[in-house]
Amino acid sequence: MTAALWALVALPALTGTVLLVAGRRADAVAAPCAVASAVAGLALAGAVAATRPAAAAPALAGIPANLAVDGLSAVMVLTVTAVHLAVVLFASGELGSDEARARFFGFMSLFAAAMLVTVTATGLLVLLAAWEVMGAVSYALIGYWWRGSERVRSAGLAFLTTRAGDLGLYLAAGAALAGGAGALQLSGLAGLEGVWRDAAVAGVVVAALGKSAQLPFSFWLSHAMAGPSPVSALLHSATMVAAGGYLLVRVEPALAAAVWAGPLVAWVGAATAVLLGVVALAQSDLKQLLAASTCAQIGFIVLGAGTGGVAGASLQFTAHAAAKSLLFLCAGAWLVTLGARDLEGLRGAARRHPLVGAAFTAGALAVAGVPPTGIWAAKDAVLAAALRSSPALYATGLAAAALAAAYAARALVAVWAPALPRSRPHGGEHGRGPAKARRSPGAAPSVGGRAPADGTRPAVARASLRVPLLALAVGSLALGVLALPAAAHWWRALLDVPGERGPAGWEMAASALVSVVVLVGAGLVFARGSARAAVAEEGGAGPGTPARAGNGVASGTGLPPVGRWAADWLGLERLVRGGLVRPTLALSRGLSVFDDRVVAGGVRAGARLGLTAADAVRDRVETAADRSVGAVASAVRTAARWALRPQTGLLHQYYAQAVVALLVLATVFVLMR
C-alpha cells in the first residue's frame, strides 16, 4: 500500500497545483475537481489507516524523506481528509460563481496536502517542508479577498507571527544534527543527550505553540478570521492550528525525556484553555468567539501532550475538528445569508434557519463538553492524565471546561433568542479586524453569487451545503461513544498506548456535572439578559429611534463584565507590539542609522581621503617626478648633442682627435706608473 500513501499526499497536491496554474479558466470545474479529489483522498486515507504503510524517497545525503502511517497518524489522516471533504463540499455551494474559485479550491487542496504530509512525516526534514507550505498557503487563504487592505494586513500578521514560532523547528533540526540524530527522525529526539536534546525539544515546543495559537501567540488567530468561513473551518479546526497540538503529541516521548518540557507544555495548555476561554466569553463577534474557543480547546490537546495523555489528546484533536469545523460552517452560512457575524445581529438566526440552528446546537453542545458528545469523552481522558500529573492541573482543566460550557451557552442563547423588532445584522460592527464592515471589498457577496431575495432565505437549501453540516453534527455527537470502556480500550489500542489509564467513573461524572450545570446556569443568565434587552428594545423603539447596537453589555446576549482586557484578547497583540515589535523596529532603525552614518560614512570618508591623497600625490610627487624625468631627458639630449659634435665626417679631424686621444692615454699611463 505504499502507492496509496504516495497517492494520498500527491492527489490533493496535484489537484491544487493544476487549479492554481489554470487560474480563472478553471473556475467552472474547480469545485467538482476539488470535491472529487477530496472524496478520493478520504478513500485513500481509509486504506492507509487500515494497512499502515511506509514510504521513503531519497532527499539529502543521509537524510531520507520518509512517510509512515502508525496509529496516531492513521487517526489524523482520517480526520483531516474527512473535514477537508466536508469543507470543500460546503464551499462548492457557498462560494459565489463570480469568485476566483480555481484559486480558492487550489489553495485549499494544496493546504490539505501539506497537512497530510505533516501528519505522516517521520523526520524533521519533511516536516519542515510541509510546515513551510502550510504557512505560505495559509497566508494566501486568509488574504483570499486581497482587495481589502485590512484583510491582507491580517493575513500578513498571522503569517509573520506563525513564522516567528516556526523558527523553532530550524533550531530543533540544527540541534538534532549536532546531537547525533543525523537522520533527523522525530523518534530520535528523545535519545539525544544533554543540551542538544533540550535545544531540540525547546525548538519543537516553540514551533508547536506558535502554530497552535497558544499563549503567548494566540492573538494571530483573531486576525486569521479575515478569511472566508470555509477557510476558518479547515485551517482552524483540523489542520493548521491543530498541527501544533499533533506535533506535541507526536514528540511526547521527547517531552517526557526532557523532564522540564512536559510540565511546561501542560501548564501552557491549561493556561491557554482558561484565559482564552475568558476571551471567548467576552467576544460579541461569533467568529471571534469561535477563534478564541479554538485556542482554548487546542489547549486541552497541549495539556494532554504535556501530561502523557496521548489517547485523550488524539481524541480531542478529532472531536474538536468535527465540532469546530461545523460551527465555522454554520457561522459562514449565516454570514452570507444574513450578512451578520456579531451576536447582536444573529439573534433569532437559528429560528429562521432551523437546520443550521440544529447543526450549530450540536457543535456548541460538543464544545461545551456535555455528555454524550465527543469532546466530553476527550476532555475526560485529558483531565484524567492531568490528574495523574498534578491535582492543580486537573482543577485548572476543570475550570477551563466550565468556561467552555459558558461561552457555548452564550452563543446558543444568541442564535436562538427571538429576534428584536429592530434587530438587524451589524456585520461585525463591534468585532475586530476586517469584519468591521458588513460588506467590505471582496467580502462574500451571497450564496452562489446571488443576493437572497428577502435577505433571510437559508443558505443551506442545497444538498452540498446540508450534507456536510449533518455529517459533522453526527460526528460531533457520535464520537462520544468512545467514552464507553470497550470503545475507549479499542481507541487506546489503535493508538498503540494500551496501558494508558482512562478516566474513572467519578471523574467523568464530575466533569459532566460541571459542564451541564454551567451550561444551564449560564444559559439562564444570558437568556434573562436577552429577554431584558428585548423588553427594553420594544419599549424604546419608536419612530426615528435608532436601534441599539450590540456592544456585549448592552446587547441582549448579556456580555459578562470581564472587561476590555479579555475582549481585546488579553492585550497580547499590544503587548507583543510594545515589547517586541517596536523595540525590534527601533533597534533596526538604530542599526540603519549606524550603518548609514558610521559604516557607510566611514567608507565614504575613506574614499574622500583616498581622493585627497591621490590629488596630493598628483600635485606634488608626480609633478616632481615629471620634472626629474624631464631634467634627465634634457641632460641626455645635451649629452647627445655634444656626442655628435666630433662626428664631422672629415678625415683629418678624426686623425687629429685620435692623436689627442693617444696623447691623453700616454700621459695617463706615465702618471699612473
Side-chain angles (χ1 to χ4, degrees):
M1 296 300 290
T2 300
L5 179 55
W6 284 122
L8 175 67
V9 299
L11 183 60
L14 185 62
T15 303
T17 302
V18 170
L19 290 178
L20 291 174
V21 170
R24 299 303 300 258
R25 292 169 295 180
D27 280 352
V29 299
C33 289
V35 171
S37 172
V39 170
L42 182 58
L44 289 169
V48 300
T51 57
R52 301 191 182 186
L60 302 178
I63 307 176
N66 291 338
L67 302 179
V69 178
D70 58 5
L72 178 59
S73 53
V75 172
M76 299 302 154
V77 295
L78 284 172
T79 303
V80 172
T81 52
V83 172
H84 177 227
L85 173 59
V87 171
V88 295
L89 185 60
F90 185 91
S92 67
E94 186 203 53
L95 203 65
S97 58
D98 56 340
E99 298 280 358
R101 295 166 70 91
R103 177 161 58 88
F104 178 83
F105 287 105
F107 278 127
M108 292 285 276
S109 298
L110 206 57
F111 190 90
M115 184 63 190
L116 289 170
V117 173
T118 297
V119 298
T120 55
T122 63
L124 278 168
L125 178 64
V126 178
L127 180 66
L128 258 173
W131 207 263
E132 293 287 2
V133 173
M134 272 202 299
V137 177
S138 70
Y139 171 78
L141 286 172
I142 295 171
Y144 173 70
W145 289 313
W146 54 271
R147 287 188 173 85
S149 59
E150 189 66 20
R151 295 178 187 276
V152 175
R153 193 186 75 84
S154 295
L157 189 146
F159 176 72
L160 290 177
T161 305
T162 54
R163 289 293 299 131
D166 293 349
L167 295 177
L169 276 186
Y170 290 91
L171 171 65
L177 284 174
L184 293 179
Q185 292 297 296
L186 292 171
S187 58
L189 297 182
L192 297 176
E193 294 184 355
V195 67
W196 299 121
R197 181 182 59 201
D198 290 339
V201 171
V204 170
V205 168
V206 170
L209 295 182
K211 195 69 89 179
S212 290
Q214 298 295 286
L215 291 173
F217 301 97
S218 307
F219 63 90
W220 73 262
L221 198 57
S222 169
H223 290 272
M225 294 301 105
S229 293
V231 171
S232 301
L234 180 63
L235 269 65
H236 311 315
S237 62
T239 53
M240 182 167 160
V241 179
Y246 158 78
L247 179 58
L248 290 175
V249 176
R250 169 62 68 188
V251 301
E252 188 274 336
L255 299 181
V259 181
W260 56 269
L264 173 66
V265 166
W267 275 109
V268 170
T272 304
V274 171
L275 292 177
L276 270 297
V278 175
V279 171
L281 199 54
Q283 300 303 310
S284 59
D285 179 300
L286 181 58
K287 286 191 72 174
Q288 291 294 323
L289 186 155
L290 296 178
S293 76
T294 295
C295 299
Q297 293 292 331
I298 296 295
F300 280 101
I301 301 178
V302 176
L303 172 60
T307 55
V310 173
S314 303
L315 182 54
Q316 175 72 7
F317 181 102
T318 303
H320 173 260
K324 193 51 61 67
S325 56
L326 171 63
L327 293 174
F328 272 120
L329 292 182
C330 291
W334 283 326
L335 176 62
V336 296
T337 54
L338 302 177
R341 51 187 274 183
D342 67 295
L343 299 180
E344 180 75 12
L346 287 171
R347 285 181 63 103
R351 294 169 181 257
R352 279 176 280 179
H353 309 292
L355 178 63
V356 183
F360 185 86
T361 301
L365 290 177
V367 168
V370 298
T373 62
I375 290 183
W376 167 66
K379 176 190 60 183
D380 285 338
V382 170
L383 291 179
L387 183 59
R388 292 196 301 273
S389 178
S390 164
L393 272 176
Y394 175 79
T396 306
L398 209 56
L403 284 167
Y407 59 69
R410 182 162 186 248
L412 284 173
V413 169
V415 299
W416 283 104
L420 296 176
R422 290 177 174 274
S423 178
R424 61 176 185 270
H426 293 284
E429 181 180 359
H430 306 285
R432 296 166 53 91
K436 290 182 178 179
R438 190 192 309 178
R439 283 296 311 277
S440 59
S446 64
V447 179
R450 299 184 300 275
D454 56 2
T456 59
R457 288 177 62 81
V460 289
R462 303 175 182 178
S464 61
L465 301 176
R466 300 173 63 177
V467 170
L469 297 182
L470 294 174
L472 291 171
V474 171
S476 300
L477 301 177
L479 284 171
V481 72
L482 292 174
L484 299 175
H489 178 74
W490 170 82
W491 179 259
R492 289 192 290 270
L494 174 67
L495 295 168
D496 300 323
V497 287
E500 192 172 303
R501 191 177 71 84
W506 70 267
E507 296 173 36
M508 300 179 70
S511 71
L513 183 63
V514 168
S515 296
V516 171
V517 168
V518 173
L519 181 73
V520 174
L524 291 175
V525 171
F526 291 131
R528 186 177 303 171
S530 175
R532 284 200 300 266
V535 171
E537 182 73 18
E538 291 175 353
T545 304
R548 297 179 61 185
N551 60 1
V553 176
S555 73
T557 54
L559 178 68
V562 293
R564 295 181 179 178
W565 178 68
D568 192 32
W569 284 66
L570 312 179
L572 288 172
E573 183 178 349
R574 285 186 286 106
L575 184 64
V576 170
R577 286 185 181 277
L580 182 62
V581 176
R582 288 173 185 165
T584 302
L585 291 176
L587 178 62
S588 65
R589 284 193 291 270
L591 290 174
S592 175
V593 171
F594 178 81
D595 177 68
D596 186 53
R597 298 184 180 179
V598 178
V599 178
V603 172
R604 287 194 293 269
R608 285 195 295 270
L609 181 61
L611 291 174
T612 302
D615 291 340
V617 169
R618 182 194 61 194
D619 295 341
R620 299 180 180 180
V621 179
E622 287 189 1
T623 302
D626 289 345
R627 290 175 180 173
S628 300
V629 171
V632 171
S634 178
V636 171
R637 283 195 298 270
T638 303
R641 284 196 299 271
W642 280 100
L644 290 174
R645 286 195 173 188
Q647 300 176 18
T648 61
L650 300 177
L651 183 59
H652 66 280
Q653 290 182 355
Y654 290 153
Y655 179 75
Q657 293 172 13
V659 171
V660 172
L662 287 173
L663 289 175
V664 171
L665 289 175
T667 303
V668 172
F669 177 76
V670 172
L671 292 176
M672 292 185 64
R673 287 188 61 188

